[in-house]
Amino acid sequence: MAMTRSLEVKGQLVAGGKEPLICAPLVGRDEAAVLHELEVIVAKRPDLLEWRVDFYSGISDVGRVVELTKEIRTRSAGIPVIFTRRSTREGGEPIDLCEDEVLSMYREVARSGAVDFLDYELSSEPEHFEQAVALARETGTKLIASFHDFEKTPPADAIVAKLVGMEKAGADIAKIAVMPQGLEDVLTLLQATLEAQKTISLPVISMSMGAYGSLSRLFGWVFGSSVSFAVGQQASAPGQVPIEDLRTVLEVLQRSLKGG
Ligand SMILES: O=C1C[C@@](O)(C(=O)O)C[C@@H](O)[C@@H]1O
């Protein structure tokens, strides 16, 4: 019984359509740290890698960013790569680039062919978001539209509306991460995920963050979230659990969902 929609790269299902996909972030500050992390993470065989380029101290030099992206590709053992600059507005690290420079960096990286997915925030200026959509079409990469609220969990209908907005704006995948202030908020996120599955036709990725939110990282896929972000070496957001722990829980849940 399929709970989630599969992600595709160049017409192929990622990890053969397995659900949920496990994605491990790379958050090193320099080349050596990123490549060391990569080695540790690849050995754990996640289904996806995310390079959080906003953590990288060399981000202002596009040439270095492209070189490192290619190096990541070479050493990633065929695991598809997501390229992400998270803005400070949505919980990312401070960087010295203006938005036009960020988009130029996205352009160079996507055109190098070394990444499979681009993550770009829906809260960006519409003209910038349109450029990200066009770039994804031009390069055959998939665009993940994202939205993060590190303070609170909006009501379920507002979460669904954001995900609908991502589809309307031309994204290929719709992602939302929100912070719970109590257990009810975790339910709100799960409820909105289930609802969004019925409302839009894109794969949805959703998570509640922090300690309570870690529950959604373990079983949010049952409600329709296609990907769970988990720790390979270091977390990129609060509440991510180690890949090994996630796998243990997934095995148990998958067995019980089959009826024991
Ligand atoms: O958007 C997301 C989700 C995330 O914020 C999380 O909560 O796991 C982690 C980020 O690295 C990623 O880009």
Side-chain angles (χ1 to χ4, degrees), residues 50 52 84 86 119 148 175 177 207 209 217 229 236-237 240:
E50 179 194 51
R52 279 285 303 272
T84 303
R86 181 71 54 243
D119 177 308
H148 306 75
K175 175 169 74 170
M207 63 285 280
M209 296 185 282
R217 300 182 184 278
F229 282 74
S236 65
Q240 288 173 351

Side-chain angles (χ1 to χ4, degrees), residues 23 25 27 50 52 55 82 84 86 90 119 144 146-148 150 175-178 205 207-210 217 228-230 235-240:
C23 179
V27 296
E50 179 194 51
R52 279 285 303 272
F55 279 91
I82 306 173
T84 303
R86 181 71 54 243
E90 298 206 12
D119 177 308
I144 304 175
S146 62
F147 175 79
H148 306 75
F150 274 75
K175 175 169 74 170
I176 194 153
V178 292
I205 303 174
M207 63 285 280
S208 182
M209 296 185 282
R217 300 182 184 278
S228 184
F229 282 74
S236 65
Q240 288 173 351

